[in-house]
Amino acid sequence: MVAPRPDTAFAVHDPLAAVTLRLTVNGAVTEVSVEPWTTLLDALRERIGLTGTKKGCDHGACGACTVLIDGRRVLSCLTLALSARDGAITTIEGLAAPDGTLHPMQRAFAEHDALQCGYCTPGQIMSAVAVLAEADAGRPSAATDPAHRVTGRAVLDEREIRERMSGNLCRCAAYQNIVAAVREVAEATDPSRP
Amino acid sequence: MQPFSYVEPRSRAEALRLAQAYPEARFLAGGTTLVDLMKSGVVHPPMLIDVNRIGGLDEIEAAEGSLRLGALARMSDAASHEAVRTQAPGLSESLLFAASGQLRNMASLGGNLLQRTRCLYFRDRHFPCNKRAPGSGCGAIDGENRALAVLGTSAACIANYPGDFAIMLVALDGTVYLDGPAGERAVPAATFHRLPADTPHIETVLAPGEMITAISLPLGALSRQSRYLKVRDRSSYEYASVSVAAAADFAPDGTIRDARLALGGLAAKPWPVTEAALLLAGRRPDDPVAMGRLMDAAVDGARPRSGNAYKVPQARSAIRRAFATLARRSARSVA
Amino acid sequence: MARGAIRTVDTLAAEAVPGVVRVFTPDTMPRLPSVPEQPDWDIMYGSSFVPMADRTIHYAGQPIGMVLAETLEAARHAATLIHYEFAAEEPVVGLDVTTDLAGEPGHEPEQIWLGFVAGYLPGAVKRGSGAAALDHAAVRLEGRWRLSTNHHNPMELVASTASWESADRLTLYETSQHVANHRNGLAKLLGLPRENVRVVASYVGGGFGCKGPVWPHSWLAALAAKAAGRPVRLVLSRAQMYTAVGYREEQWIDLRIGATQEGKLLGATVTKLSATPAWEDWVEPSWYPFTFMYDLPALETRCRLLRANVMAPTFMRAPGEAPGMLVQECAMNELAAELGVDPIELRLRNHADVYPIDGSQWSSKRLKECYRVGAERFGWASRSPTPRSMREGDLLIGMGMASASHTVYRQPASARVTITTTGIAHVAASATDIGTGTATFLRQITADELGLPLDAVQALIGDTGLPEAPMQAGASLTSSLGSAALAAARTLRGRVLALATGTEGSPLYGHNENDLALDDGRILAGGNPTGQTVSGVLRRAGLTELSSDGRFDPGGMGQVRSGDPVRDRREAPRGMHSFGAIFAEVAVDPELGLIRVRRLTGVYACGRILNPKLAESQLIGGITWGMSQALFEVTHMDARFGRFTNTNLSEYMVPVNLDVPVIDVTFLDDPDPYINPLGVKGVGEIGITGVAAAIADAVWHATGKRLRTLPILPDALLDGDEISSTRC
């Protein structure tokens, strides 16, 4: 195989060899043994035992496996565990405070009955948390008028929330209550409001 | 997934050296297409060269009438970039209408240009497909082809390119920068993708061992008045049945000085309608004769199959709609 | 490969993959000790197909190999390395074949669902002469509705984890809607006593029907675990779920229906065509709604089944009602347009005042109020009746409506309620929770009856070790199991009070139990505190806890009985249905062919609503399914290969958040003293019914096009594929 060079910082030459990685998950550094083909989703679920992140399609079509890496929402089913080793990974298990106090988004989902079977819910909540951060960063969506100059937080009206949350399928179709939950947290945390 | 080895170069030179040494290796950027297809058994590279940690390939710069986007810039970052939004709103739209928030955070612009077709026969290795297995035949021509191409098809393949960003890039006269064993080169975005002819497995002009390093497009009146209209069954998170990348520079009286048009969802490549500038110059978007000629030119030679004839009228209407929207936006900004 | 046989198998490469433990093929898979000819649905319901037992290929996607490995990745990779050679034959699939696998033009099944609801849902209905009645009709409608194959696609993948505790004791963790069925099925197939099989499924990530029956993956996992001598987990991929756990069959429904000039229905004939595998007859009773929905004096129904190279279809949300209500309600709307009568008015003229199947009374029916309240909330009066008459800019606006209804199914159920001296109560039943709120309603009913705060009641569910609950299906779990829990709690309450009043030395000794009440663990007399607590009563009696069992036994699923034998002797049987009215507004972009649903308003009478929040969520979900049936869902079969093409969630469309409009759901107060002690009719299934017909009518109202092929895609609006109502 390829001889490592100084500018090749990392290589796994044996496709079937297990590699020990240090993944930072929910603030804790976890040693985990993976192969090159292990996805972050399977590493979390099968190797680390964090089964809150769900597998719905394994092909990037449903959003159930959504996690945050360095605060950005990504699909863990299409992320190789090896590629994720430098990032700070947040899963649904990492949202609540250490004393068990739920994250406001978790609480809002429960209060609004924004779930039925609950299987897509971890992905929905991770996505919703990121949606608020994206809005705070002034990021537009396909529902944003291109002529509108975003200053500060992007508006999160119903249509914006629905568009921004459309990467998370819910077969039970709890969408209406998901919108209500996200909207409530968005309004409660809007920095432009007194 | 087949087993593969994994290397992570920290420099472009090392990445290219690896690619040259291992011709069957593939570059891994966002992974949203590649990892998906590897899981499906459609592609099975023995080595992935993860280029994500190569510095300097993800920058977005707007200067001197030109926008330069690093190949590793993520779709979401490019879509949100101030210069992209103000100087090329249609380009921002083409990115925002693609995929989902999660996928846009992952997918790179270079990778997005290389997105593979959603043809169901390509993606299921139990079907024949000349693109996946040259010579095995095309399952789609007489099969389930509702989503597939009507323009530029061949007897070997009717797959379509599923991306959005590339359509607007072609409309706005973009350029794709490549680096490889033979050195750096630049190719017009309009010629980057290839039609299938009898080699549908060769989809772009990318040579073995070459990588996309950057993408550029001129900024000006056209890019500032650009619009991406995406038509699909679902309201979001779906590939286009038809998409229209349109740009028009309007005179104060509402007539068009210059225009660009490219179509998505209809062919194996972004489909430039080069007649747009000529047919629309001096006309208004609501001029039925000019618009009729443009729509005729756009779908000239279309060859619908059993399930995708609807795309032709849909494309015609979408073209008119896109230019009408541009005219409204222009009038609004003048007012 | 959808038909033929395996000629050769080579597993060497697969076995060589590091981490691989065992490779099974049809040649090496351990055999079931007993293979039933057909499943006995009194014991278990599921498919009778036994894959991995011989080399014959019956359908594309049939299991032909299984790899056990230390990691998921190694197993998946090794599975691709098993090399097969096949002798392939031309598959038979599709509804337009002239002869089926058996060389016949199809056959009429003697019974449906293998007699599961024998006598209740006949394969053919003859009420008067539907055909003769049509001869006298002033207005006749004739058409074929083509409904696509649909897949359940719950978000959670189907999975089994099989663990043998000893040579003859199995624990199965299963994505199950009915753990008792999985226990019974696995015990029967594996030749074990039922008590040696434990099935666990506390929370399940959606089912919609596909996780009810026993499918081969469960016992394949059990056989593999036994052979390997270690636990085995088998998770189906999303693509595998399209060919392993059933689906709603593609169907063509031919309808002829006639009415008088005044719009009174005279008669109808309904013929359904669909496909079934070689080994069993499956058909959902899509003709069934015609039997109960309207006052339809003459009706003849038939179904024709083609044997084909397909896996067995199965129950899917509102089986029978979902497609049947679609066709019937579309027909009502088309007739209304023919007659120039408002669609609601036509329905009122044909309202079934009594249960049409046997002329008995309804247990309760507030359909007329559903129409009225729905029309008000939706603003039906603002609809101009003429098609294409409502516009907004480039958009054509359309409004449509339909009735909704679902049978009230009832199933035998058991529950146990226990109260302890810690003040905590437990309610236990084997039922799973697939998203319907099983644990919540059990706690709610128990807390209400025992006068406890909700937090003081815990639910134990999803384990065959608990009192047996029925399947989580048919919108019947809450009503049936809830009634059992109510009985258990009521008995327990009585026993606590009996202890308090019947024990000498108790401060409440001699009190009349009817004067006492339980409130937050305390005992009140005449509404006043007595200083006595439930815990104290137990302690005084030397108990740490007290349990009571409760049972609901309606005497068979779907029987038109009250469940109370005394009352049944006193009263006549009754028709038991939930009813509703659904209204839809669509905006159609005629140039692009796009249809977007802008508003949905549903008003329902579903008996007592135990938990408005959960019930509203069920309805919102069901209505969204109806919208999806109308506009999105289709699994494509490529007949040349006998293979589904779009077995993923990218190309099998289900609605995303942005597709779904605000859905306005209202429940009418609908007291029903007959159906069960709770008065609950169930809400899980009715939501899907009628919606697609309301949307199809709204599309007609917007565009003037009657479209009878579902889903309605832009193609139909752009290709000029127009069907005008046929007057014959």
Side-chain angles (χ1 to χ4, degrees):
Chain A
M1 292 310 258
V2 181
R5 284 218 189 167
D7 49 359
T8 302
F10 184 87
V12 180
H13 299 311
D14 180 350
L16 296 173
V19 190
T20 300
L21 282 188
R22 292 159 75 87
L23 291 181
T24 307
V25 185
N26 301 328
V29 177
T30 309
E31 284 217 342
V32 58
S33 170
V34 300
E35 290 90 41
W37 58 13
T38 310
T39 62
L40 177 59
L41 173 61
D42 289 330
L44 289 168
R45 289 181 57 84
E46 310 286 334
R47 316 274 168 117
I48 304 180
L50 291 173
T51 55
T53 305
K54 301 302 183 194
K55 183 182 286 187
C57 71
D58 215 17
H59 287 273
C62 78
C65 69
T66 302
V67 300
L68 308 183
I69 299 184
D70 296 329
R72 290 163 69 101
R73 53 176 168 160
V74 298
L75 299 179
S76 59
C77 76
L78 295 181
T79 303
L80 297 179
L82 288 177
S83 312
R85 67 185 192 285
D86 293 345
I89 300 157
T90 310
T91 69
I92 189 72
E93 290 93 342
L95 274 194
D99 69 354
T101 306
L102 293 180
H103 185 281
M105 194 63 77
Q106 292 174 302
R107 209 163 49 234
F109 267 63
E111 280 168 8
H112 287 274
D113 199 33
L115 62 143
Q116 288 176 39
C117 80
Y119 194 80
C120 73
T121 311
Q124 300 275 4
I125 290 177
M126 298 314 290
S127 213
V129 168
V131 162
L132 262 55
E134 289 164 12
D136 282 340
R139 294 198 161 214
S141 82
T144 312
D145 182 345
H148 178 69
R149 293 275 68 80
V150 177
T151 49
R153 172 184 278 200
V155 175
L156 287 180
D157 59 17
E158 180 186 332
R159 189 173 166 75
E160 281 278 3
I161 293 171
R162 286 190 187 273
E163 161 62 23
R164 288 167 189 260
M165 291 297 293
S166 278
N168 291 80
L169 301 185
C170 173
R171 184 57 159 160
C172 300
Y175 296 129
Q176 186 156 323
N177 294 347
I178 290 169
V179 172
V182 177
R183 201 166 189 173
E184 180 185 277
V185 181
E187 284 172 7
T189 58
D190 188 343
S192 70
R193 287 160 65 99
Chain B
M1 234 190 290
Q2 306 277 321
F4 55 89
S5 55
Y6 175 92
V7 292
E8 204 174 71
R10 292 286 163 107
S11 73
R12 195 204 290 194
E14 176 63 2
L16 292 173
R17 188 188 75 80
L18 286 162
Q20 204 174 354
Y22 297 93
E24 288 181 56
R26 290 289 171 270
F27 293 121
L28 173 70
T32 52
T33 291
L34 184 60
V35 175
D36 176 25
L37 291 177
M38 287 168 72
K39 286 185 181 188
S40 301
V42 173
V43 296
H44 18 78
M47 178 193 286
L48 291 189
I49 305 169
D50 185 337
V51 296
N52 287 296
R53 285 166 177 82
I54 296 176
L57 284 180
D58 61 353
E59 283 157 14
I60 300 170
E61 296 168 286
E64 295 164 16
S66 167
L67 179 68
R68 191 178 171 92
L69 305 154
L72 280 180
R74 305 297 147 165
M75 291 172 72
S76 59
D77 296 331
S80 305
H81 193 277
E82 185 63 17
V84 178
R85 294 191 65 204
T86 55
Q87 303 291 305
L91 198 70
S92 176
E93 283 182 306
S94 73
L95 291 159
L96 292 172
F97 276 83
S100 69
Q102 294 93 311
L103 287 160
R104 294 192 295 269
N105 276 343
M106 302 170 72
S108 68
L109 296 182
N112 192 239
L113 294 184
L114 299 172
Q115 195 173 3
R116 308 293 301 272
T117 184
R118 296 299 303 186
C119 176
L120 302 161
Y121 296 85
F122 170 71
R123 299 180 61 84
D124 181 341
R125 59 198 167 82
H126 297 95
F127 287 117
C129 171
N130 287 322
K131 185 186 280 296
R132 189 188 65 248
S136 63
C138 173
I141 286 178
D142 296 316
E144 175 51 41
N145 50 36
R146 177 172 182 266
L148 302 181
V150 294
L151 289 167
T153 58
S154 73
C157 184
I158 60 168
N160 57 348
Y161 169 72
D164 297 294
F165 165 68
I167 315 301
M168 187 48 93
L169 194 64
V170 165
L172 295 179
D173 305 319
T175 302
V176 182
Y177 296 87
L178 311 175
D179 195 0
E184 296 189 52
R185 63 183 178 129
V187 298
T191 60
F192 179 73
H193 293 89
R194 295 168 38 129
L195 289 175
D198 52 3
T199 55
H201 58 292
I202 304 173
E203 297 178 349
T204 68
V205 299
L206 210 55
E210 261 187 325
M211 68 159 65
I212 303 172
T213 56
I215 292 143
S216 78
L217 67 150
L219 295 177
L222 282 171
S223 72
R224 275 193 296 276
Q225 297 182 79
S226 55
R227 155 89 173 144
Y228 188 70
L229 174 62
K230 184 170 181 177
V231 185
R232 44 186 166 177
D233 298 352
R234 208 152 75 171
S235 309
S236 187
Y237 201 10
E238 193 190 358
Y239 302 92
S241 54
V242 165
S243 69
V244 175
D249 176 18
F250 290 91
D253 66 355
T255 58
I256 292 173
R257 283 195 283 241
D258 196 5
R260 294 289 183 278
L261 174 63
L263 303 175
L266 298 176
K269 57 180 287 184
W271 194 260
V273 184
T274 49
E275 298 90 338
L278 192 64
L279 290 173
L280 293 183
R283 310 289 190 131
R284 291 170 183 280
D286 56 3
D287 177 334
V289 176
M291 193 49 65
R293 284 189 185 135
L294 179 61
M295 293 190 294
D296 290 345
V299 296
D300 184 35
R303 187 171 174 201
R305 307 285 167 169
S306 56
N308 59 7
Y310 76 99
K311 287 193 173 199
V312 175
Q314 200 173 51
R316 296 176 62 97
S317 299
I319 292 167
R320 182 174 53 217
R321 194 70 64 81
F323 280 104
T325 306
L326 279 173
R328 267 203 308 278
R329 282 184 188 172
S330 169
R332 192 171 59 175
S333 69
V334 169
Chain C
M1 251 295 287
R3 183 185 181 192
I6 298 167
R7 285 202 305 126
T8 64
V9 191
D10 179 353
T11 60
L12 282 178
E15 281 160 4
V17 172
V20 167
V21 175
R22 289 288 291 266
V23 177
F24 295 111
T25 69
D27 298 347
T28 57
M29 188 75 206
R31 298 291 186 249
L32 286 171
S34 68
V35 177
E37 286 275 301
Q38 280 208 327
D40 178 346
W41 278 28
D42 285 340
I43 298 168
M44 63 162 269
Y45 51 95
S47 177
S48 57
F49 180 54
V50 180
M52 299 283 286
D54 61 46
R55 290 182 161 208
T56 311
I57 303 294
H58 297 276
Y59 68 94
Q62 175 181 328
I64 54 169
M66 184 178 185
V67 179
L68 308 188
E70 300 293 345
T71 65
L72 179 63
E73 293 84 356
R76 285 175 62 163
H77 170 51
T80 67
L81 299 180
I82 308 177
H83 184 71
Y84 297 90
E85 285 180 17
F86 298 103
E89 294 176 58
E90 280 288 304
V92 175
V93 295
L95 301 186
D96 50 0
V97 294
T98 47
T99 55
D100 69 2
L101 264 184
E104 308 282 339
H107 67 281
E108 295 192 28
E110 289 168 16
Q111 56 181 10
I112 66 160
W113 295 345
L114 299 167
F116 189 38
V117 283
Y120 189 60
L121 293 172
V125 174
K126 188 158 168 60
R127 176 193 299 166
S129 171
L134 286 169
D135 292 340
H136 307 293
V139 180
R140 274 171 287 175
L141 187 76
E142 182 170 348
R144 166 170 288 178
W145 275 261
R146 295 165 196 258
L147 276 59
S148 60
T149 302
N150 288 177
H151 276 81
H152 311 74
N153 275 313
M155 295 309 299
E156 178 195 61
L157 300 173
V158 166
S160 297
T161 301
S163 174
W164 290 84
E165 317 303 341
S166 67
D168 63 351
R169 296 192 83 85
L170 172 70
T171 301
L172 182 75
Y173 300 86
E174 175 68 48
T175 50
S176 171
Q177 289 175 239
H178 190 193
V179 290
N181 184 54
H182 276 93
R183 175 199 60 199
N184 298 352
L186 271 283
K188 177 175 178 171
L189 294 166
L190 298 170
L192 298 170
R194 279 188 188 174
E195 57 272 23
N196 286 17
V197 179
R198 179 183 172 211
V199 180
V200 182
S202 302
Y203 292 93
V204 173
F208 312 111
C210 74
K211 293 171 181 172
V214 176
W215 300 106
H217 69 270
S218 304
W219 51 259
L220 286 171
L223 289 176
K226 188 152 200 187
R230 53 193 288 197
V232 163
R233 171 154 21 128
L234 177 60
V235 184
L236 300 187
S237 68
R238 178 59 59 183
Q240 286 171 336
M241 282 176 61
Y242 283 77
T243 51
V245 290
Y247 54 92
R248 195 194 301 279
E249 67 267 26
E250 179 186 17
Q251 49 199 297
W252 293 352
I253 300 173
D254 292 336
L255 171 69
R256 297 178 69 215
I257 191 164
T260 66
Q261 198 60 54
E262 294 72 41
K264 179 69 198 69
L265 294 177
L266 291 173
T269 65
V270 185
T271 305
K272 167 173 166 167
L273 178 68
S274 61
T276 197
W279 58 86
E280 70 189 54
D281 286 346
W282 174 276
V283 57
E284 66 172 329
S286 307
W287 56 90
Y288 170 51
F290 288 86
T291 68
F292 65 73
M293 193 63 217
Y294 295 107
D295 179 17
L296 180 62
L299 174 66
E300 284 176 77
T301 77
R302 290 175 59 204
C303 69
R304 187 155 65 90
L305 277 178
L306 299 165
R307 297 223 180 277
N309 294 108
V310 294
M311 178 46 165
T314 195
F315 310 103
M316 185 161 153
R317 204 166 197 171
E321 274 103 336
M325 288 293 289
L326 189 167
V327 173
Q328 173 167 267
E329 294 302 303
C330 281
M332 292 300 277
N333 289 331
E334 293 194 23
L335 275 177
E338 281 288 311
L339 291 160
V341 176
D342 181 86
I344 297 177
E345 174 58 28
L346 184 71
R347 286 168 171 84
L348 291 172
R349 288 181 193 176
N350 291 285
H351 184 266
D353 296 332
V354 296
Y355 186 46
I357 289 179
D358 63 6
S360 64
Q361 298 298 306
W362 294 100
S363 64
S364 67
K365 182 173 184 180
R366 298 199 61 194
L367 178 58
K368 289 180 182 175
E369 289 96 320
C370 291
Y371 295 144
R372 183 179 55 75
V373 175
E376 275 171 26
R377 292 189 70 87
F378 182 77
W380 183 249
S382 70
R383 173 184 185 260
S384 102
T386 314
R388 298 182 72 92
S389 61
M390 300 178 77
R391 287 167 190 266
E392 273 182 34
D394 294 331
L395 302 175
L396 297 169
I397 307 302
M399 297 181 181
M401 64 81 59
S403 305
S405 183
H406 193 265
T407 313
V408 176
Y409 288 115
R410 303 181 310 170
Q411 309 186 75
S414 304
R416 178 177 305 134
V417 177
T418 305
I419 192 157
T420 71
T421 49
T422 61
I424 298 292
H426 300 275
V427 53
S430 67
T432 61
D433 191 333
I434 59 172
T436 47
T438 306
T440 303
F441 81 70
L442 285 173
R443 291 170 60 211
Q444 227 186 305
I445 290 167
T446 305
D448 282 354
E449 189 64 20
L450 295 181
L452 289 173
L454 198 58
D455 288 345
V457 182
Q458 295 168 354
L460 301 170
I461 58 169
D463 190 322
T464 47
L466 302 169
E468 184 163 331
M471 72 173 146
Q472 171 81 276
S476 63
L477 188 80
T478 304
S479 55
S480 303
L481 181 59
S483 294
L486 177 66
R490 193 161 281 171
T491 306
L492 182 64
R493 178 182 180 280
R495 289 177 65 196
V496 168
L497 294 180
L499 277 176
T501 59
T503 309
E504 279 188 55
S506 161
L508 295 172
Y509 180 68
H511 268 72
N512 182 347
E513 281 176 37
N514 294 333
D515 292 341
L516 302 180
L518 301 183
D519 177 38
D520 202 2
R522 299 169 306 154
I523 300 176
L524 308 183
N528 300 313
T530 61
Q532 301 303 303
T533 64
V534 173
S535 305
V537 170
L538 296 187
R539 270 195 291 271
R540 189 168 297 109
L543 300 171
T544 53
E545 61 174 51
L546 189 63
S547 286
S548 287
D549 289 338
R551 188 157 170 79
F552 176 65
D553 195 349
M557 183 173 187
Q559 295 277 321
V560 191
R561 302 278 173 205
S562 72
D564 175 345
V566 177
R567 198 160 68 202
D568 273 346
R569 274 196 298 277
R570 196 173 65 230
E571 295 166 1
R574 289 177 184 263
M576 300 186 300
H577 274 255
S578 51
F579 291 100
I582 178 80
F583 297 78
E585 178 182 309
V586 301
V588 176
D589 186 324
E591 293 183 351
L592 300 178
L594 299 182
I595 303 164
R596 300 288 186 242
V597 180
R598 302 215 298 192
R599 288 193 298 140
L600 288 162
T601 298
V603 176
Y604 298 91
C606 298
R608 181 178 159 209
I609 300 303
L610 274 183
N611 184 319
K613 196 179 248 188
L614 293 182
E616 185 188 25
S617 288
Q618 283 295 312
L619 264 299
I620 288 171
I623 291 168
T624 306
W625 272 59
M627 170 185 155
S628 193
Q629 179 190 30
L631 299 177
F632 293 109
E633 289 183 49
V634 51
T635 319
H636 296 289
M637 167 67 78
D638 188 320
R640 299 167 301 166
F641 302 94
R643 188 175 180 83
F644 290 130
T645 56
N646 56 329
T647 55
N648 62 54
L649 286 174
S650 296
E651 273 86 15
Y652 183 93
M653 291 286 123
V654 298
V656 298
N657 203 319
L658 188 60
D659 288 314
V660 183
V662 170
I663 300 174
D664 172 34
V665 172
T666 302
F667 291 107
L668 299 184
D669 188 33
D670 182 32
D672 190 324
Y674 301 104
I675 41 174
N676 53 53
L678 281 171
V680 167
K681 286 183 172 177
V683 292
E685 310 271 33
I686 187 174
I688 187 177
T689 68
V691 182
I695 290 173
D697 198 44
V699 171
W700 166 78
H701 183 233
T703 66
K705 291 188 179 185
R706 284 290 183 200
L707 299 164
R708 296 175 180 160
T709 298
L710 280 286
I712 299 172
L713 298 172
D715 324 22
L717 298 179
L718 294 172
D719 286 358
D721 174 23
E722 189 170 346
I723 301 170
S724 60
S725 295
T726 316
R727 266 184 103 135
C728 47

